[in-house]
Amino acid sequence: HKILPLATANFDIGGGGPSFGVVIKMKDLLSEEDFKKYVVEGHGVALYGNNTPERSLRLEMMAHLDKFMPFFDDKAINNSVFPALCTGFQDSQSPAVRDACVKAVLTLAPKLSDKNRSQTLMGHFARLQVDSEGAIRTNTTVCIGKLATSLNASAQKKVLVPAFVRALKDPFPPARAAGLAALMASESLHDVKDVAVKILPAATPLLVYVEPDV
């Protein structure tokens, strides 16, 4: 009742990277009711729904999003948390923030509306697949593969094959490997024509690719 208010007070004045870490460490000492009352209801939704400019805080938030998810309802996630997270995809000054947001969005995905998951998120992922950082391109492809079955039929048809074929042509070997893995994991979602005309012509050259892992 003394340390926690001091730590969470930093959130309200625009700071909080180190303080956020303190709060997370204290979570195990709090009951679920107290964590919800003093942290989530008082600061959680506002914090995650705010486009905070402090990158150290943002990285901490993305790393521990799973601890807050059980307390966020679908409305808060779709109207506040998800839009704020999406601004991190566009942080041109910090590859670390972009990458952290890519990884964190998988935590949100089950509670996203169909529009946010199949349209808004896939639009951001299309841009992230041509990011300057190979690791971000790779993780984006991995995420698309993991979300493939949860996309609506229209998005599956529009997004999956172009995304995975794009990855197969990526100059970064792990991105190519991610594209192959995603194609194999989602094989039941691709029709025969797409396999013959689009996937095989992109995949077969990798049989003689210099990287053995690919």
Side-chain angles (χ1 to χ4, degrees):
H1 293 284
K2 293 182 179 181
I3 298 175
L4 188 61
L6 292 175
T8 55
N10 276 338
F11 302 157
D12 301 325
I13 58 175
S19 295
F20 190 86
V22 171
V23 171
I24 292 301
K25 290 179 180 178
M26 292 181 64
K27 182 179 183 298
D28 294 336
L29 304 176
L30 301 172
S31 66
E32 184 173 294
E33 182 180 346
D34 281 347
F35 183 75
K36 181 178 180 181
K37 178 179 179 180
Y38 294 110
V39 179
V40 178
E41 294 180 350
H43 305 276
V45 175
L47 185 63
Y48 274 96
N50 178 44
N51 180 18
T52 176
E54 187 184 343
R55 293 188 174 97
S56 64
L57 174 57
R58 186 158 232 177
L59 290 172
E60 286 279 356
M61 288 165 56
M62 294 303 102
H64 298 289
L65 178 58
D66 60 314
K67 294 179 175 62
F68 286 81
M69 275 296 295
F71 303 100
F72 292 157
D73 60 31
D74 291 1
K75 182 178 180 180
I77 288 171
N78 284 282
N79 294 345
S80 300
V81 179
F82 176 66
L85 182 148
C86 287
T87 64
F89 295 148
Q90 304 167 48
D91 190 336
S92 60
Q93 302 301 312
S94 177
V97 168
R98 297 199 302 277
D99 194 43
C101 290
V102 168
K103 295 173 181 176
V105 80
L106 287 177
T107 304
L108 291 182
K111 290 190 175 183
L112 290 179
S113 66
D114 180 65
K115 181 179 180 181
N116 276 339
R117 182 170 53 246
S118 295
Q119 296 182 32
T120 306
L121 180 58
M122 291 303 111
H124 285 293
F125 275 0
R127 289 185 287 275
L128 287 163
Q129 270 205 303
V130 294
D131 194 273
S132 60
E133 297 290 329
I136 293 176
R137 299 195 301 272
T138 301
N139 288 331
T140 299
T141 299
V142 170
C143 287
I144 296 173
K146 289 183 176 182
L147 295 175
T149 58
S150 67
L151 302 178
N152 63 42
S154 176
Q156 289 175 344
K157 183 70 175 176
K158 181 180 178 181
V159 172
L160 298 184
V161 171
F164 299 152
V165 168
R166 183 184 298 119
L168 297 184
K169 300 176 182 178
D170 195 290
F172 189 53
R176 293 190 177 197
L180 284 170
L183 277 168
M184 290 187 289
S186 60
E187 61 178 327
S188 63
L189 303 176
H190 311 308
D191 61 38
V192 174
K193 183 177 180 179
D194 279 345
V195 172
V197 176
K198 298 176 182 179
I199 296 174
L200 286 178
T204 51
L206 299 182
L207 291 170
V208 293
Y209 190 56
V210 295
E211 290 287 341
D213 290 343
V214 176

